[in-house]
Amino acid sequence: MEPLPEDRRRQDRAFVEPYTTNTFLEFTLSGRAHRCLLLDVSPGGLGMLILQTEKEVLEHLRPGTRMSMAYTSPEATVP
């Protein structure tokens, strides 16, 4: 297993506990829909947790890439 790259973000992040909040980022990449857990937030963007089963996503992402994503959360849903 390769070591994690050094975190170069300069802004503080607020971490989210993904397993208890059920907050997701949903997006389409190379014609396939993906749904990843929200990990952290900062003024510069959102961090997502890529599960081992979704690791092919990492092959398509580059630093500074901007993507259209949907943010879904049970707390943001109106019954």
Side-chain angles (χ1 to χ4, degrees):
M1 183 182 218
E2 294 181 30
L4 294 174
E6 179 184 342
D7 189 352
R8 299 179 303 197
R9 295 180 284 185
R10 294 188 177 119
Q11 298 170 325
D12 288 335
R13 294 177 308 279
F15 287 94
V16 177
E17 182 56 51
Y19 300 108
T20 59
T21 61
N22 293 319
T23 303
F24 298 95
L25 297 173
E26 297 175 328
F27 57 96
T28 301
L29 189 61
S30 298
R32 184 167 173 244
H34 298 275
R35 185 177 188 194
C36 298
L37 291 164
L38 181 66
L39 182 62
D40 61 45
V41 296
S42 75
L46 304 172
M48 60 185 167
L49 180 64
I50 304 293
L51 300 177
Q52 185 70 21
T53 57
E54 296 279 332
K55 68 181 182 180
E56 72 274 1
V57 167
L58 299 175
E59 297 171 7
H60 301 282
L61 298 178
R62 300 289 175 258
T65 301
R66 293 179 182 254
M67 299 174 57
S68 178
M69 297 185 173
Y71 169 87
T72 60
S73 171
E75 290 79 21
T77 304
V78 177

